Amino acid sequence: MQYADLQCDECDLLHALGMTDRCKLSVRKTGNPCIVQVGATRIGLAQSVSSKITVIPDDANGTVTRVSPSPQQQQQQQQQQQPGDEQ
Amino acid sequence: MNNKAATTTPATTLNNKAGRSDSAAVSASSAPGRPQPHHPATNLRLALLGNPNTGKTTLFNRLCGLRAKTANFPGSTVDARVGRCTLHVASQHDPTATEPQPIELIDLPGLYRLGLNLPESKLCRDVLDGTDTTGPVPDAAIVVADASNLARNLCLVAELLARGFPVILALNMIDIARRRGLSIDTDALGRKLGCRVVPVAARQGIGLDELRAAMARMVDRCIRNMPADHVTVSDAAVLPDVSDTSAIAEWADEIVRTSVGGPAAVGEASDSIIDRLDAAFTHPIVGVLVFAAVMTGLFWTIFSLAQLPMSLIEISFEYLGGFLGTVLPPGMVHDLLVDGVIGGVAGTVVFLPQICLLFFLISLLEDTGYLARAAFVMDRLMCRFGLPGQAFVPMLSSHACAIPGIMSAKLIPDPQDRLATILVSPFMSCSARLPVYVLLIGLLFRDNAALGGLAFFGCYGLGALAAFGTAFVARRSILRGKSRPMVLELPTYKWPSLLSALLTTWDQGIDFLKKAGTIIVALCIVLWWLSAYPKVDPPQPALDMLAQAQLVESADAAEAEQLRTEAAAITARHEQASSFAGRMGRVVQPVFEPLGYDWQLTVGVVASFAAREVFVSTMAVLTSGSDDVEDEGILNQIYQAQRDDGSPVITKSTAASLLVFYVLAMQCLPTLAVTRRETGSWKWAALQFGYMSSLAWVASLVTYQGLRWMGVP
């Protein structure tokens, strides 16, 4: 799961709701709100949040998705981690 | 060990340390996170935690014999709530016997993780660290988890275990999980987690004896300063790094995979009916129409179903007033009881049916799970005005009372969002406004329940519009910034609990009657005295009429009676106008004269700045001697009241003007006190009062003058 331009607190909340990196979720409704199901949890997301989440379709009917970081976002993450590694 | 382990003690303390010794062994400065050895001088404390909407408060109520408010949407508990119950633990002297052990149970707001930067997480951290006002570090924790959604709930268990807390995992709503085909091996789950796992269904009372037994066992070990009662640690999964969200989620998934079976073990089952309902209820157009229909239906039901019980209450008070009127000799006590106390209290209690219906219907609605969907419908609207979607719950709660509404705003993460919500929440029409609405809408649309229902909806709509407009201005001036986007867990749909709704209705009805029997009676007595004294002689026109009545008595008895009636009415108006209340009303009346209010309405409005519902009882007291309407109900008495010049006190235009005033004005001292407490400053409370009252005055002026200009009387 990757989030572009979302605040840290929002990312933390999404993680706590089960929307973690590479989690499996199903999109129950698109639009505003977008409704996704992670495990047994249905989560409503305002469009301004859902539009910043990257998901990758996982099967033929497109209802189940697997999410993973995009290469660009992975690069950003690595750049953010580097200063900490040096310390 | 006694499995039927507990007796409940209904006594409760909210957010205080009543009953605790000051010499508690665990001080706030002790190392946070780990429970310290229990001090025998204090009650044991168990924290009740869990994800939002998992039934913590329902379980808390069951264990402590209380009736704290519950609802089927996340965030219905906003504060730490302390209850007491007694467990029967093994006797320290005789291992075969048990002895009662009082404990404190702390019901905490729902949270997803302890480590999140959210108000509810901070509050729970403070309680667990012993740095909050409820008392020292809890001795152990009970995690209430939704049995159908175990994986996510286990993350919180991991955090608590990592902090060293002895934990009991209560798998709530086990009946629903089983109906969905889930089979949970609680022993295996307990072994993996290293804690006791108890399946319960708190709403139905299933598994509570087992839970109490587990609590008693844990308490026993706490008293003996023994290590936590882990079933066995040999199989326990190694706890992951709780700061790593992915690792902790994988750990939870792995535990669920090995201990939960069934077709929907990891909760991926879909439900097309729920999908369709969600799609409809959150649709940009259909969702708004459904919301409008639900709200209009709610108000129409309140307005129409309450008519019969209201009439019965009115008749009862009339009978009581008439009975006392005949039994008591004329004089001050007679007037005080008949006109002051009974007239004033009747003017408030007559609205009990509406209050009960409002709480009953809102309670049913809260239980269904629909409101979380409605929150998204409103979020689209609210975010345009600078309010966050999370403000929906505080604003909805404010329809019952602004005080819990403002208090629930503390769960809004962003300080600016929170402040904006607190400032505008009192615009939402609370139940205290209901009597005034009924009185005035009854005058405007007396014979048309449908129009009355629409007018009700209009009042609520006007309040909401004022709230949104104010938020729009505030977020572009004193509270600059954008609101946070909404992320909300959608609860499952449920059939509402009739029992829960009835209990809520009973509690709220009793509260309302207590208020009517205390504050309102006191105010009625004061207002009666102010409106009845000083006593003055009848005016000359009345004396002339009485003299003429004596002259014509023998020739025309009917005309003589008519003259006496008119003389009595003139005398009553003169007495009212000369009374302390009349004089005070006249002093303030210039402020309200442009709105169409005479001195009586002015006194009613000014008196209701303490509490809105006082308006109706004030008017009942003020108009009690102004007309010969002893056989009429309280409402008719107010409708037929006359001004000093003989014209009606309340016309259609003044009724509309008053209605607008009461929708918008800040007339509740307790709300201002709560605003001060939640914002930490009188500045915001003063701003709220000044702004709302000014807006109400201007809007009422426009309404009254506009209607008069259009020829409405």
Side-chain angles (χ1 to χ4, degrees):
Chain A
M1 174 73 64
Q2 281 294 302
Y3 316 102
D5 303 326
L6 281 178
Q7 291 182 7
C8 287
D9 293 347
E10 286 158 1
C11 287
D12 288 345
L13 177 59
L14 290 171
H15 282 145
L17 281 162
M19 295 179 67
T20 52
D21 291 352
R22 289 179 293 282
C23 79
K24 219 174 171 186
L25 60 84
S26 55
V27 179
R28 315 306 310 178
K29 176 184 173 292
T30 54
N32 188 15
C34 171
I35 298 176
V36 298
Q37 186 167 345
V38 187
T41 310
R42 279 181 181 247
I43 305 163
L45 304 167
Q47 197 165 34
S48 54
V49 175
S50 61
S51 62
K52 292 168 187 165
I53 299 173
T54 307
V55 295
I56 298 168
D58 188 53
D59 67 2
N61 63 24
T63 56
V64 179
T65 60
R66 188 178 292 279
V67 289
S68 61
S70 67
Q72 188 186 357
Q73 288 163 334
Q74 276 179 328
Q75 197 177 358
Q76 283 175 354
Q77 269 192 334
Q78 283 165 359
Q79 283 171 354
Q80 286 171 351
Q81 284 168 355
Q82 273 171 0
D85 294 340
E86 284 167 10
Q87 287 170 2
Chain B
M1 180 68 61
N2 183 358
N3 276 355
K4 297 194 174 180
T7 53
T8 57
T9 309
T12 184
T13 52
L14 300 184
N15 293 325
N16 66 27
K17 296 192 278 186
R20 294 193 60 79
S21 164
D22 289 337
S23 60
V26 182
S27 72
S29 59
S30 63
R34 286 184 74 88
Q36 302 297 307
H38 175 67
H39 192 286
T42 62
N43 283 343
L44 275 134
R45 294 162 57 81
L46 303 185
L48 201 61
L49 298 104
N51 285 178
N53 218 34
T54 52
K56 293 176 293 301
T57 303
T58 306
L59 187 60
F60 172 80
N61 287 343
R62 284 277 186 181
L63 292 172
C64 298
L66 298 175
R67 294 222 292 261
K69 182 177 163 51
T70 60
N72 185 19
F73 59 77
S76 49
T77 303
V78 297
D79 232 329
R81 184 189 287 124
V82 182
R84 295 201 181 114
C85 69
T86 303
L87 298 171
H88 293 278
V89 301
S91 170
Q92 298 206 33
H93 312 292
D94 178 5
T96 59
T98 60
E99 58 188 32
Q101 173 67 43
I103 62 153
E104 286 184 356
L105 205 56
I106 314 161
D107 181 27
L108 292 165
L111 78 165
Y112 294 106
R113 294 278 174 82
L114 283 167
L116 292 181
N117 184 25
L118 291 172
E120 60 270 29
S121 299
K122 184 179 181 311
L123 195 150
C124 291
R125 282 198 304 269
D126 288 347
V127 169
L128 294 176
D129 294 346
T131 54
D132 120 302
T133 55
T134 57
V137 177
D139 298 280
I142 301 170
V143 177
V144 185
D146 179 354
S148 306
N149 189 11
L150 199 50
R152 199 195 60 206
N153 289 258
L154 291 183
C155 300
L156 186 60
V157 176
E159 284 187 302
L160 286 162
L161 290 172
R163 280 172 167 249
F165 275 93
V167 171
I168 293 174
L169 176 60
L171 291 181
N172 196 19
M173 297 180 265
I174 192 71
D175 52 330
I176 297 173
R178 284 174 183 156
R179 276 204 300 275
R180 289 180 181 171
L182 286 171
S183 61
I184 302 174
D185 183 344
T186 51
D187 289 337
L189 185 59
R191 282 195 299 274
K192 288 281 179 192
L193 293 172
C195 70
R196 196 166 281 278
V197 179
V198 184
V200 295
R203 206 167 169 179
Q204 289 76 19
I206 297 168
L208 294 182
D209 285 344
E210 289 78 4
L211 180 61
R212 287 186 185 114
M215 288 163 65
R217 194 174 167 82
M218 177 186 275
V219 163
D220 181 42
R221 299 182 79 86
C222 287
I223 292 169
R224 294 164 198 264
N225 288 331
M226 290 167 70
D229 177 27
H230 293 173
V231 179
T232 170
V233 292
S234 59
D235 294 337
V238 176
L239 279 177
D241 175 7
V242 290
S243 62
D244 183 342
T245 50
S246 293
I248 204 168
E250 283 170 19
W251 170 84
D253 281 341
E254 178 57 29
I255 288 183
V256 169
R257 257 191 290 276
T258 53
S259 49
V260 180
V266 288
E268 285 173 2
S270 63
D271 191 324
S272 61
I273 295 175
I274 294 175
D275 285 341
R276 280 182 219 159
L277 286 174
D278 280 352
F281 291 157
T282 59
H283 190 272
I285 296 165
V286 180
V288 172
L289 292 176
V290 169
F291 185 69
V294 167
M295 290 297 148
T296 309
L298 186 103
F299 299 131
W300 179 84
T301 309
I302 291 169
F303 197 69
S304 54
L305 286 190
Q307 292 301 324
L308 180 65
M310 278 180 76
S311 302
L312 290 174
I313 291 172
E314 272 200 292
I315 290 166
S316 305
F317 273 101
E318 276 168 41
Y319 176 78
L320 183 63
F323 174 73
L324 283 178
T326 54
V327 170
L328 293 171
M332 195 181 83
V333 175
H334 171 281
D335 293 349
L336 169 65
L337 286 178
V338 176
D339 296 337
V341 176
I342 294 180
V345 172
T348 304
V349 174
V350 74
F351 300 103
L352 181 66
Q354 265 111 344
I355 302 285
C356 289
L357 272 170
L358 175 76
F359 282 103
F360 179 73
L361 294 174
I362 286 185
S363 182
L364 289 182
L365 202 57
E366 282 175 347
D367 249 8
T368 60
Y370 165 71
L371 289 179
R373 279 77 181 176
F376 275 101
V377 172
M378 295 307 292
D379 178 51
R380 271 194 289 266
L381 180 69
M382 293 201 297
C383 68
R384 290 179 191 163
F385 293 95
L387 285 170
Q390 292 94 332
F392 176 75
V393 171
M395 292 175 84
L396 188 80
S397 304
S398 297
H399 282 106
C401 177
I403 291 171
I406 289 173
M407 286 170 69
S408 63
K410 70 172 61 170
L411 294 188
I412 296 174
D414 185 82
Q416 301 283 79
D417 285 348
R418 195 182 312 138
L419 197 48
T421 306
I422 288 171
L423 287 179
V424 304
S425 284
F427 274 120
M428 312 312 284
S429 290
C430 62
S431 59
R433 287 173 167 112
L434 203 61
V436 186
Y437 290 177
V438 174
L439 175 77
L440 299 171
I441 290 172
L443 180 72
L444 288 167
F445 306 104
R446 190 178 289 196
D447 301 319
N448 196 327
L451 276 180
L454 272 178
F456 253 91
F457 188 67
C459 288
Y460 283 75
L462 178 63
L465 193 67
F468 292 148
T470 302
F472 183 82
V473 173
R475 295 314 297 267
R476 281 155 186 80
S477 51
I478 53 173
L479 299 172
R480 283 180 185 277
K482 282 177 71 177
S483 61
R484 281 201 192 187
M486 187 147 164
V487 175
L488 186 70
E489 182 183 351
L490 301 176
T492 50
Y493 292 105
K494 285 180 189 161
W495 284 110
S497 162
L498 199 61
L499 179 66
S500 167
L502 286 172
L503 289 174
T504 302
T505 306
W506 172 261
D507 289 345
Q508 297 297 333
I510 293 292
D511 272 359
F512 182 75
L513 286 177
K514 278 182 188 163
K515 201 172 179 186
T518 52
I519 298 168
I520 290 174
V521 164
L523 281 171
C524 285
I525 291 171
V526 171
L527 281 164
W528 169 82
W529 186 82
L530 288 173
S531 64
Y533 288 88
K535 293 291 183 191
V536 290
D537 293 330
Q540 193 57 45
L543 293 173
D544 293 345
M545 281 182 182
L546 289 173
Q548 197 176 349
Q550 268 188 331
L551 288 175
V552 300
E553 178 113 47
S554 53
D556 188 346
E559 191 185 343
E561 186 57 33
Q562 175 71 21
L563 283 167
R564 284 199 187 90
T565 305
E566 285 180 28
I570 290 171
T571 304
R573 281 201 294 274
H574 177 69
E575 284 175 351
Q576 290 278 333
S578 307
S579 66
F580 293 123
R583 291 176 199 178
M584 286 191 281
R586 281 196 167 75
V587 171
V588 188
Q589 195 203 354
V591 177
F592 292 99
E593 195 168 11
L595 315 185
Y597 309 163
D598 77 328
W599 71 264
Q600 295 174 82
L601 285 177
T602 301
V603 172
V605 168
V606 171
S608 59
F609 268 94
R612 295 175 177 96
E613 60 270 51
V614 169
F615 174 76
V616 184
S617 53
T618 304
M619 292 308 297
V621 172
L622 290 178
T623 59
S624 61
S626 67
D627 208 343
D628 185 19
V629 289
E630 285 175 8
D631 295 331
E632 302 286 344
I634 294 293
L635 300 184
N636 279 331
Q637 173 190 305
I638 297 171
Y639 295 153
Q640 292 174 14
Q642 293 178 349
R643 299 182 182 214
D644 294 345
D645 61 3
S647 62
V649 168
I650 305 180
T651 61
K652 288 208 180 284
S653 52
T654 47
S657 167
L658 273 168
L659 204 53
V660 170
F661 190 86
Y662 274 86
V663 168
L664 300 176
M666 164 50 88
Q667 294 169 296
C668 184
L669 289 178
T671 301
L672 287 171
V674 171
T675 297
R676 188 252 163 237
R677 195 183 69 192
E678 296 297 316
T679 59
S681 162
W682 278 112
K683 179 182 78 174
W684 295 109
L687 175 72
Q688 195 175 47
F689 175 77
Y691 172 76
M692 288 181 69
S693 302
S694 307
L695 184 68
W697 191 91
V698 171
S700 299
L701 176 74
V702 171
T703 305
Y704 178 71
Q705 298 297 345
L707 288 172
R708 296 291 293 169
W709 181 72
M710 288 190 283
V712 177

